[in-house]
Amino acid sequence: MVNRKTLADLRSRRWFAAGGMRAFAHRQRAQQMGLRREDLLERPCIAIVNTWSDLSPCHAHLRERAEAVKRGVLLAGGLPFELPALSLGEVMVKPTTMLYRNLLAMEVEELLRSLPVDGAVLLAGCDKTTPGTVMGAISMGLPTLFCAAGPMLNDRYLKPGEPARQVGAGTHTRMFWDEYQAGRVSEAEWVQLESHMTRSPGTCNTMGTASTMTSIVEALGLALPGSTAIPAMDAAHTRMATTCGERIVQMVWDDLTPRSLLTRGAFLNAAAVQMALGGSTNAAVHLIALARRAGVELTLDDLDAMGRKVPVLANLFPSGDRLMEDFHYAGGLPALMARITPFLSLDERNANGRTLAQNLDGVRALDDEVIRPLDRPVSAGGALAVLRGNLAPEGAVMKASAASPQFLRHRGRAIVFDDPGEMNRACADPALECEESSVLVLRNAGPVGAPGMPEWGNLPIPKKLLERGVRDMLRISDARMSGTHYGSCILHVSPESAVGGPLALVKTGDLIEVDIDARRLHLDVSDEELARRRAAWQPPKQTVARGFVRLYREHVTQAHEGCDFDFLQGTAPTAEPVIY
Ligand code: FES
């Protein structure tokens, strides 16, 4: 193999191979850590960006995996350096990890920029650590390979007198919560359930945002084929991490940068994968943010067009009834991609140096129940629909495959909430006036309003309706929804209410119409009345006026634009630091 780069081209040599007192100090301080002078001068330096922390169960094993990556780097002749990065575990971080995705992206870009490294392996996998680390790496532009944390193991729940159920993270928590609220799960069982569904370290094992985003990164070509579905606790996961360490060294010599892989075709492949997976609606935000970092044109309309033609084939919760371990055994993402080749651009390249056509050659799905054939999809209707209308001029999204058929075309009276506390209290109140046909609306939950666009979009079903057996209603918000959740939820309404989007003008009792086939979201109020309401509208008071939250509110873009910071989008090169 012919290397495109030589030792003299390595970026790290600016730190270690120069003359003068500064380079002397760099070598001196590296030797202080026990490193040998000749290794600093003769090997590519590889960053292992690690999102491990003691409060991130999805990444709990990544310290050990970093050792496996190091082994691979050393075997291939590189020199590894583990760099800790912001650990965004979805469940513990408040108010929402989305508030910090861009902070992680900035951190990764600046870590790679400011230190003597030639390439990077990203160890991540929870919902925001995947897009956050990859966004930063795209902007920095060094050769980068993504090593997914991998999903947690499947779990089973046994209840006397009932058949055993496969249970997974997120989806079943919501199901059991609704049953508990309705009085069908006892207090003792509810406590017992705490130790179920999340059986091991690793990311959520449903097709939630984590698995959607790691799959998307694999489809983009930034992760090795078949790597992202390997369960976190499988020995194959450790071996895969070592292979990542080995591969990144060659990627440095080949100068295989993210932007050399990230074409529009690669992004459309990722969109096709999202649809075939029945993936999380959150991907609509992250995929557009990634594309903008790579300088690729990608809009909600591209995603909607893909959603209209690619059926859901992955039979995984919440659209189906299996879990990620099943998906791995069925062949993982390569097997799914082999099933949707008519919708893919097969000339796109992967970080392994091969084209998609070469990587899919001879690949086939091993279990037709888990990865369905095209003529027997889980849902022919598509995973994602983008709606527009006078309530969402810039778009809103709905995961049609996880919604109830009766709400795909619906007209109902709005019940409007201005904050989640008020909403939760009202929904628990038996006096709330509501019917199954009512449309629940939550506003001030978008990127600026919340801030950080939390996953509040799976609005609770009012308790009195739960007790009557109602399990789904039409719900609308400018928030996001957990990818593990399900229901007829219209999300990401853009522009959001806090910046004056039409959602701010809805009143309880207004009629709202939804037609998924027509991609229509309409507030049945006259233009004159809406103009009157707009004239009287006041933006909500913002309480936090300092620090990162202030920066966030001032610079975050709207959902249809990816919620990146306006000053981080685009392909302006990240300047190399001056070394004196
Ligand atoms: Fe981390 Fe679901 S909470 S992947």
Side-chain angles (χ1 to χ4, degrees):
M1 189 173 301
V2 181
N3 294 337
R4 286 184 58 196
K5 278 196 167 180
T6 67
L7 207 52
D9 300 324
L10 291 180
R11 179 176 181 268
S12 57
R13 289 179 70 86
R14 291 187 61 220
W15 276 259
F16 295 129
M21 193 192 73
R22 280 286 163 242
F24 170 89
H26 299 150
R27 292 189 297 269
Q28 178 192 44
R29 289 304 179 144
Q31 290 183 69
Q32 180 187 3
M33 295 185 288
L35 296 171
R36 300 183 305 187
R37 185 178 198 274
E38 59 269 31
D39 294 336
L40 300 169
L41 295 173
E42 292 169 12
R43 292 165 181 254
C45 295
I46 304 298
I48 302 169
V49 177
N50 196 346
T51 55
W52 168 90
S53 90
D54 266 337
L55 274 173
S56 181
C58 314
H59 302 145
H61 56 303
L62 291 188
R63 257 182 154 176
E64 292 154 36
R65 288 304 173 275
E67 295 305 315
V69 177
K70 285 179 191 173
R71 187 158 61 237
V73 171
L74 290 167
L75 284 168
L79 195 58
F81 295 92
E82 188 178 349
L83 306 177
L86 188 63
S87 183
L88 299 177
E90 193 65 22
V91 178
M92 301 293 181
V93 173
K94 304 297 175 200
T96 167
T97 51
M98 187 62 185
L99 185 61
Y100 300 111
R101 183 202 65 178
N102 297 347
L103 184 60
L104 174 60
M106 286 178 80
E107 185 189 14
V108 170
E109 182 177 344
E110 297 302 328
L111 269 177
L112 299 180
R113 184 169 88 97
S114 60
L115 290 167
V117 293
D118 302 298
V121 173
L122 309 175
L123 276 175
C126 194
D127 297 18
K128 307 306 179 299
T129 58
T130 298
T133 53
V134 175
M135 285 161 70
I138 292 172
S139 292
M140 183 55 207
L142 299 181
T144 299
L145 188 54
F146 183 79
C147 178
M152 65 180 81
L153 298 174
N154 290 359
D155 198 7
R156 282 154 66 95
Y157 182 61
L158 290 161
K159 191 173 173 182
E162 289 184 11
R165 306 162 71 171
Q166 275 218 104
V167 286
T171 305
H172 286 91
T173 306
R174 167 59 75 174
M175 283 181 186
F176 285 121
W177 171 248
D178 284 348
E179 297 304 311
Y180 175 58
Q181 291 288 101
R184 298 202 174 101
V185 161
S186 70
E187 193 67 41
E189 189 180 358
W190 180 240
V191 171
Q192 189 189 351
L193 282 165
E194 273 177 22
S195 58
H196 285 277
M197 296 170 261
T198 49
R199 188 173 148 226
S200 76
T203 49
C204 289
N205 51 2
T206 46
M207 186 40 70
T209 307
S211 294
T212 303
M213 289 313 302
T214 56
S215 301
I216 277 177
V217 168
E218 183 178 325
L220 286 171
L222 297 176
L224 296 176
S227 63
T228 57
I230 301 173
M233 293 293 103
D234 196 312
H237 193 270
T238 310
R239 296 195 297 271
M240 179 274 289
T242 299
T243 305
C244 285
E246 236 175 12
R247 177 63 196 157
I248 188 62
V249 176
Q250 189 59 47
M251 287 174 71
V252 169
W253 293 128
D254 293 344
D255 200 23
L256 199 51
T257 61
R259 271 186 230 152
S260 66
L261 300 172
L262 295 177
T263 61
R264 179 165 159 84
F267 275 97
L268 292 177
N269 283 351
V273 158
Q274 182 198 344
M275 305 310 157
L277 287 170
S280 165
T281 46
N282 284 320
V285 175
H286 301 314
L287 202 46
I288 288 172
L290 289 164
R292 287 179 167 223
R293 291 283 183 127
V296 170
E297 171 81 15
L298 189 81
T299 66
L300 283 178
D301 290 335
D302 291 316
L303 304 186
D304 187 67
M306 204 57 87
R308 284 182 188 267
K309 60 185 180 188
V310 182
V312 179
L313 299 185
N315 182 20
L316 301 168
F317 286 107
S319 297
D321 62 9
R322 304 297 173 89
L323 294 166
M324 284 303 291
E325 221 181 311
D326 307 310
F327 186 61
H328 171 60
Y329 293 135
L333 196 69
L336 181 92
M337 292 182 85
R339 285 259 151 102
I340 57 167
T341 51
F343 307 108
L344 298 178
S345 163
L346 296 170
D347 294 334
E348 307 306 327
R349 282 193 309 154
N350 180 275
N352 73 356
R354 293 156 61 93
T355 65
L356 183 57
Q358 290 170 326
N359 282 329
L360 295 184
D361 187 29
V363 171
R364 61 189 180 84
L366 303 175
D367 187 334
D368 285 354
E369 264 321 293
V370 180
I371 301 176
R372 298 272 185 86
L374 276 171
D375 60 3
R376 196 165 59 82
V378 175
S379 162
L384 188 90
V386 176
L387 313 180
R388 284 203 170 80
N390 67 350
L391 201 45
E394 297 290 357
V397 303
M398 185 190 211
K399 188 172 187 171
S401 59
S404 303
Q406 72 266 30
F407 294 120
L408 300 181
R409 191 164 184 203
H410 184 73
R411 179 178 163 91
R413 291 209 177 273
I415 301 174
V416 182
F417 305 107
D418 283 317
D419 74 74
E422 171 203 352
M423 172 182 75
N424 287 332
R425 281 190 296 279
C427 288
D429 185 348
L432 179 70
E433 284 186 27
C434 59
E435 302 296 332
E436 188 177 356
S437 63
S438 304
V439 179
L440 304 179
V441 174
L442 175 67
R443 59 189 170 205
N444 301 326
V448 174
M453 205 182 175
E455 293 185 333
W456 295 340
N458 189 230
L459 277 57
I461 306 293
K463 193 163 186 285
K464 81 176 191 190
L465 296 181
L466 281 174
E467 286 166 353
R468 278 191 226 153
V470 174
R471 291 292 180 272
D472 196 11
M473 294 172 73
L474 191 65
R475 291 161 271 180
I476 301 175
S477 72
D478 43 17
R480 296 174 302 114
M481 176 173 84
S482 165
T484 64
H485 287 172
Y486 53 91
S488 305
C489 302
I490 294 173
L491 310 153
H492 309 187
V493 169
S494 186
E496 63 173 305
S497 58
V499 299
L503 200 65
L505 310 180
V506 186
K507 288 187 172 174
T508 293
D510 288 348
L511 279 167
I512 293 178
E513 291 174 8
V514 172
D515 185 339
I516 300 301
D517 281 345
R519 300 298 199 253
R520 183 165 182 263
L521 177 58
H522 180 70
L523 178 63
D524 196 2
V525 173
S526 70
D527 291 345
E528 296 73 30
E529 172 60 16
L530 286 178
R532 267 192 295 277
R533 292 184 191 180
R534 177 165 299 289
W537 179 75
Q538 295 289 327
K541 279 211 168 57
Q542 311 287 14
T543 48
V544 181
R546 68 177 300 277
F548 178 74
V549 175
R550 178 170 173 176
L551 176 85
Y552 187 93
R553 274 196 159 127
E554 289 174 358
H555 292 283
V556 70
T557 61
Q558 288 291 291
H560 70 282
E561 300 165 312
C563 297
D564 202 353
F565 288 153
D566 49 14
F567 59 86
L568 291 176
Q569 299 177 124
T571 56
T574 299
E576 285 289 345
V578 175
I579 302 175
Y580 288 119

